């Protein structure tokens, strides 16, 4: 085989591989889920709502956690009760969560999307309450405990059985945080929803 033909063949192989990589899309991240915390009950239950030890995934992840009272030793049906599940995803260093009402389920899974630039979240401060000074409390440490020391995304459930009941009015969770030390606009969530703290930028996602 002469040199010209060899170089031509090599160029063809390289461009073909590159084309295949482009066609297959960005490299996917293999991610593993692990349960962090689970809560079941009413706002007044406080930390007694912690049912982490009752949630299992016998066949591994992804798996479903059902908001079925019987699963948590609860024989008093109440449609106001909620299941909150918090889990982690590695190696992305995500902390994900979901809140569902009785009869539904939480799917503990990790989205193995294309890798983004990892930026570490640091919680500056967090408050919980209905707005007035007398009914708003500092929950910075509780939010730090949920997010951990090195998460790159953290979904914090705004639940009274996690943060307490300063009053009976509708409450708001407000969180200020940084991404790699850079201040962000912060995030907030109404009671029974989730504050999604994220550090991705549009450039990371290809926009």
């Amino acid at each position: 085989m002469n040199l010209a033909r060899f170089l031509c063949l090599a160029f063809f192989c390289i461009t073909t591989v590159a084309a295949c990589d482009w066609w297959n899309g960005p490299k996917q991240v293999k991610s593993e889920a692990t349960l962090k915390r689970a809560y079941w009950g009413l706002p007044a239950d406080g930390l007694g709502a912690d049912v982490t030890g009752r949630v299992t995934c016998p066949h591994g992840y992804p798996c479903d956690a059902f908001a079925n009272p019987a699963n948590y030793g609860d024989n008093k049906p109440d449609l106001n009760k909620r299941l909150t599940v918090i889990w982690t995803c590695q190696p992305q260093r995500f902390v994900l969560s979901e809140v569902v009402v009785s009869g539904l389920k939480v799917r503990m899974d990790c989205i193995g999307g294309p890798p983004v630039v990892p930026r570490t979240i640091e919680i500056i401060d967090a408050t919980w309450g209905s707005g007035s000074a007398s009914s708003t409390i500092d929950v910075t440490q509780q939010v730090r405990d949920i997010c951990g020391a090195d998460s790159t995304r953290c979904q914090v459930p705004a639940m009274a059985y996690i943060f307490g009941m300063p009053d009976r009015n509708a409450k708001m969770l407000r969180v200020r945080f940084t991404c790699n030390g850079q201040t962000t606009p912060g995030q907030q969530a109404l009671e029974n929803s989730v504050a999604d703290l994220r550090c991705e930028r549009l450039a990371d996602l290809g926009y």
Side-chain angles (χ1 to χ4, degrees):
M1 180 183 298
N2 61 40
L3 180 60
R5 186 174 180 184
F6 173 80
L7 292 174
C8 182
L9 181 60
F11 175 78
F12 174 77
C13 290
I14 292 172
T15 54
T16 300
V17 170
C20 288
D21 285 344
W22 176 84
W23 182 262
N24 291 331
K27 181 181 179 181
Q28 298 294 298
V29 176
K30 183 179 180 182
S31 184
E32 295 184 1
T34 304
L35 175 66
K36 188 176 178 76
R37 285 288 177 194
Y39 302 86
W40 164 259
L42 296 168
D45 292 334
L47 295 181
D50 191 323
V51 293
T52 306
R54 290 179 176 266
V55 176
T56 60
C57 292
H59 304 293
Y61 294 88
C63 75
D64 297 322
F66 293 89
N68 180 356
N71 290 354
Y72 312 110
D74 185 355
N75 57 6
K76 298 178 180 178
D78 189 331
L79 294 179
N80 292 316
K81 293 181 178 179
R82 286 172 168 79
L83 173 67
T84 301
V85 182
I86 306 170
W87 67 99
T88 61
C89 295
Q90 297 291 353
Q92 297 104 316
R93 294 152 46 201
F94 287 171
V95 179
L96 304 182
S97 67
E98 190 173 347
V99 179
V100 296
V101 297
S102 181
L104 300 182
K105 67 180 181 180
V106 173
R107 180 73 167 176
M108 284 184 283
D109 198 0
C110 296
I111 300 172
V116 298
V117 177
R119 297 184 180 90
T120 301
I121 290 172
E122 183 176 352
I123 305 301
I124 301 174
D125 56 54
T127 59
W128 167 254
S130 55
S132 66
S134 61
S135 62
T136 299
I137 58 176
D138 183 279
V139 294
T140 305
Q141 190 55 52
Q142 292 98 311
V143 173
R144 286 175 178 164
D145 290 342
I146 290 172
C147 293
D150 69 343
S151 59
T152 58
R153 179 181 181 185
C154 182
Q155 294 180 329
V156 186
M159 304 302 294
Y161 48 49
I162 297 176
F163 299 115
M165 292 185 65
D167 59 29
R168 293 187 172 276
N169 296 322
K171 289 167 279 296
M172 178 85 74
L173 175 66
R174 294 179 173 87
V175 184
R176 295 196 308 138
F177 65 101
T178 63
C179 293
N180 279 6
Q182 183 175 358
T183 303
T184 70
Q187 189 60 264
Q188 61 185 30
L190 283 170
E191 185 174 1
N192 299 325
S193 64
V194 171
D196 193 357
L197 317 183
R198 305 180 69 153
C199 282
E200 296 100 328
R201 298 174 183 168
L202 293 179
D204 296 339
L205 306 175
Y207 298 112

